[in-house]
Amino acid sequence: MLSPNLWLQETWAQIATTYSPLQIEITGTVVVQLLTFYLPCAIYMSLPKLFPAFSERHKLQKQEKQPTRAQILDAVFVVSRNQLIAFGIQFLGVWIRQQHGLPCIYDVSPTFPTLQIFVRDFAIALIIREALFYYLHRLFHAKRLYPYIHKIHHRFTAPVALAAQYAHPVEHILVNVLPVVLPNALLRSHILTFWAFLAAMLIETSTVHSGYDFWPHLAEKHDRHHEVFIWNFGACLDWFDWMHGTKEKQKVQNAFTDRNEKKKS
Ligand SMILES: [Zn+2]
Ligand SMILES: [Zn+2]
């Protein structure tokens, strides 16, 4: 009997040699996006219904501040529209490459990338994504741009997981999609590395917007950004916030007045 690792390698080799790189790129990317964004969103957002006491204990902001049912339905519509636009752009890119006989932007070879190459590409992509996210996010906070584009994302002052992609389409493409897609394309990474990176970033962004305190620090600092707008522009690393003095000076946990009040009562 094949070991699970060997079975996975053989299955991947079969897929890579049966389908065209462009078919693989489109199908895999859509599947990863649907599974690793909507599934965590569904889990986080069903907690108040399934385990209300547990959910209340771990929510970062008060119940009165949580979005209404109408706001959540609006988020479902806006997020689906944004994803359709992103998929449309991806299909168009693949179609153009197909017309011009250009190769896939990722390496779709039938062998797995080595662990060393995987870790290297993942780490470089994480740093590039963080830099792109930080500077583009700050750009959209500029007075002239904010009211037209980024204000939409900030409608959720107490975010829920789905609010991660609740944004103007221009912001969704430039701030959410591009910083995740571009680094591995520039590195011409193995497509499995790109999918692993995409999955990690989608799980991270739904967690960051979940409004729960499960992973210390992650959601709290971005929740705080939604609440006060002027601190914590980074995604998962704090490097650029420290570098530019936009890291909230006070310890994030102490700044959560709502939470402290809730604990006292
Ligand atoms: Zn946000
Ligand atoms: Zn913002």
Side-chain angles (χ1 to χ4, degrees), residues 77-96:
F77 169 76
V78 171
V79 170
S80 310
R81 179 206 64 191
N82 284 347
Q83 294 206 334
L84 282 175
I85 293 171
F87 288 149
I89 293 173
Q90 191 196 5
F91 291 146
L92 186 68
V94 167
W95 182 78
I96 292 171

Side-chain angles (χ1 to χ4, degrees), residues 137 140-141 146 150 153-154 171 222 225-226 229 232-233:
H137 184 192
F140 281 117
H141 270 268
Y146 183 81
H150 193 48
H153 182 64
H154 276 274
E171 176 182 337
H222 195 71
H225 174 75
H226 274 255
F229 305 14
N232 309 335
F233 294 93

Side-chain angles (χ1 to χ4, degrees), residues 130-146 150 154 171 175 225 229-234 240-247:
E130 188 66 34
L132 288 172
F133 181 89
Y134 179 87
Y135 291 113
L136 287 165
H137 184 192
R138 273 200 81 176
L139 177 72
F140 281 117
H141 270 268
K143 275 189 184 134
R144 286 190 182 178
L145 282 177
Y146 183 81
H150 193 48
H154 276 274
E171 176 182 337
V175 182
H225 174 75
F229 305 14
I230 53 169
W231 305 112
N232 309 335
F233 294 93
F240 294 92
D241 276 311
W242 285 118
M243 212 191 302
H244 294 290
T246 51
K247 179 84 197 137

Side-chain angles (χ1 to χ4, degrees), residues 14-24 108:
Q14 206 171 3
I15 293 170
T17 48
T18 308
Y19 302 98
S20 78
L22 297 175
Q23 283 175 322
I24 293 172
V108 194

Side-chain angles (χ1 to χ4, degrees), residues 76-136:
V76 172
F77 169 76
V78 171
V79 170
S80 310
R81 179 206 64 191
N82 284 347
Q83 294 206 334
L84 282 175
I85 293 171
F87 288 149
I89 293 173
Q90 191 196 5
F91 291 146
L92 186 68
V94 167
W95 182 78
I96 292 171
R97 269 181 273 147
Q98 216 156 23
Q99 295 302 305
H100 292 84
L102 296 168
C104 178
I105 51 174
Y106 304 103
D107 169 16
V108 194
S109 53
T111 48
F112 279 5
T114 63
L115 184 63
Q116 201 182 9
I117 300 287
F118 174 84
V119 171
R120 183 201 68 187
D121 284 5
F122 196 100
I124 296 173
L126 191 66
I127 295 166
I128 299 176
R129 185 257 180 163
E130 188 66 34
L132 288 172
F133 181 89
Y134 179 87
Y135 291 113
L136 287 165

